[in-house]
Amino acid sequence: MAFHLQDTVTLNNGVKMPRFGLGVYKVQEGEEVIHAVKSAIRAGYRSIDTAALYNNEEGVGQAVREAMTENGLTRDQLFITSKVWNSEQGYEKTLQAFETSLNKLGLDYIDLFLVHWPVKGKYKDTWRALEKIYEEGKVRAIGVSNFQIHHLEDLLGEAKIVPAVNQVELHPLLSQKELLNYATGKGIYLEAWAPLGQGRVLDDETLKAIGSKYGKTPAQVILRWDLQVGIITIPKSVNEQRIIENADIFNFELSAEEIAQIDGLNKNQRFGPDPDTFDF
Ligand code: NDP
């Protein structure tokens, strides 16, 4: 399995999405996010994951425009994701929230727009709004985030369009195998948020031992595992050296045994909220 940093998956509507990208949750608007995004694109990243909640869409947009000029890239070579926040869910509010994200980013279109959390009683109306935005050509693909199997079942019962992506918490302590199998069967790609467990799984001895065989860090082992098990991944860093480190995973390959060892670390342990009990 020889991957490259700019390799893509083909989503269920034919759109190609990079397997690897930069997450910018908790990255400060302004200088910090501009620096992180430009460092990533310079290092070869082609996908950036933001959200209205992160309050840094303007900086992401500015960085994308500057990076295109500086690196001789065209808009179609980059893939930008954003998400509608929970307080903006429902049909009309979502239509407005999308326009706000688009304006803040200063882009003509967004590549992927997601329902950030399955807000009870609202996510189906939110989805109808995303379908409309998609049909109008303002977004290249639409998807969901933090949806469990039962949320997907419920949505698919009424949706005209099958979500292209489900972005969920996923790392070695929460490998989400059941959801992965279900989503794959429906043509929905899983995308890992907190792939590094927000930095809290990097002391694991198994990951260290595997990494030491290849001269790789635990972070690199996890991100390589994501790719080999077929998951899109978006590690966050604001540190240029770690941005480069995280993407330096294309010159080694985990064996089937090592993949199984990492799979075996699963404890169904979340660091973030449970999609069935969150209340925001
Ligand atoms: P990650 O698992 O990506 O971990 C990020 C943390 O790990 C930061 O503290 C970072 O610090 C540190 N780190 C990064 N690389 C390394 C490395 N090589 N070695 C040691 N430490 C490292 O957590 P996130 O929560 O940020 O998840 C990734 C992205 O997923 C988010 O940025 C966001 O885009 C998305 N997300 C989506 C959610 C959703 O509900 N849909 C929820 C949460 C996240 P530093 O920056 O200092 O390098």
Side-chain angles (χ1 to χ4, degrees):
M1 240 185 286
F3 291 118
H4 179 269
L5 175 51
Q6 291 163 13
D7 276 353
T8 54
V9 299
T10 302
L11 303 176
N12 60 17
N13 65 349
V15 164
K16 292 189 188 320
M17 172 174 186
R19 290 178 180 272
F20 194 92
L22 179 78
V24 295
Y25 179 41
K26 292 192 175 161
V27 180
Q28 269 181 5
E29 177 62 304
E31 214 175 299
E32 189 176 59
V33 81
I34 292 169
H35 182 256
V37 170
K38 286 175 74 173
S39 300
I41 295 174
R42 207 180 309 121
Y45 288 56
R46 293 293 177 262
S47 169
I48 309 292
D49 181 86
T50 185
L53 175 76
Y54 306 167
N55 202 22
N56 57 21
E57 289 169 307
E58 287 180 25
V60 168
Q62 184 183 331
V64 162
R65 283 188 296 280
E66 290 180 12
M68 284 198 294
T69 309
E70 289 167 19
N71 298 279
L73 297 170
T74 48
R75 172 68 184 89
D76 61 323
Q77 291 175 286
L78 294 168
F79 193 99
I80 312 301
T81 300
S82 195
K83 316 180 189 88
V84 54
W85 184 240
N86 300 345
S87 57
E88 306 309 304
Q89 288 203 29
Y91 187 76
E92 292 298 336
K93 280 177 105 175
T94 297
L95 293 178
Q96 282 168 25
F98 176 81
E99 292 301 327
T100 303
S101 283
L102 195 60
N103 288 335
K104 284 192 172 173
L105 285 161
L107 300 174
D108 296 332
Y109 63 87
I110 293 176
D111 293 279
L112 177 65
F113 200 58
L114 304 178
V115 181
H116 208 143
W117 286 85
V119 175
K120 254 188 211 150
K122 289 200 177 161
Y123 64 76
K124 287 190 200 168
D125 289 336
T126 305
W127 187 250
R128 279 200 298 120
L130 263 56
E131 290 177 329
K132 179 168 195 294
I133 295 162
Y134 177 75
E135 280 160 4
E136 288 172 352
K138 295 173 180 169
V139 63
R140 294 176 68 229
I142 53 176
V144 296
S145 179
N146 299 302
F147 276 46
Q148 310 267 51
I149 291 175
H150 69 89
H151 295 119
L152 290 171
E153 286 274 291
D154 185 39
L155 185 68
L156 292 175
E158 286 177 33
K160 279 194 284 179
I161 300 174
V162 176
V165 166
N166 183 18
Q167 183 185 110
V168 296
E169 182 177 350
L170 194 158
H171 43 71
L173 300 185
L174 180 68
S175 62
Q176 301 267 29
K177 288 296 177 207
E178 205 188 332
L179 184 58
L180 177 61
N181 286 338
Y182 176 85
T184 304
K186 299 289 180 188
I188 301 168
Y189 259 98
L190 272 203
E191 180 177 20
W193 67 252
L196 308 175
Q198 302 184 325
R200 285 176 279 186
V201 294
L202 304 177
D203 286 335
D204 181 87
E205 293 304 327
T206 303
L207 298 175
K208 282 189 194 165
I210 294 172
S212 69
K213 284 210 247 174
Y214 302 102
K216 295 290 172 186
T217 63
Q220 291 170 321
V221 170
I222 296 175
L223 297 168
R224 180 75 205 187
W225 170 73
D226 286 338
L227 298 182
Q228 288 189 217
V229 298
I231 291 161
I232 300 164
T233 192
I234 45 167
K236 171 262 176 187
S237 181
V238 292
N239 175 296
E240 184 158 11
Q241 226 178 318
R242 287 195 285 273
I243 288 173
I244 293 168
E245 173 192 325
N246 291 343
D248 182 15
I249 56 170
F250 299 93
N251 50 6
F252 77 113
E253 184 168 343
L254 299 169
S255 66
E257 197 181 40
E258 288 159 347
I259 296 279
Q261 266 181 290
I262 302 170
D263 287 344
L265 298 175
N266 181 52
K267 291 186 179 138
N268 294 328
Q269 183 183 334
R270 292 178 187 278
F271 297 112
D274 186 326
D276 286 326
T277 53
F278 76 98
D279 65 348
F280 47 81

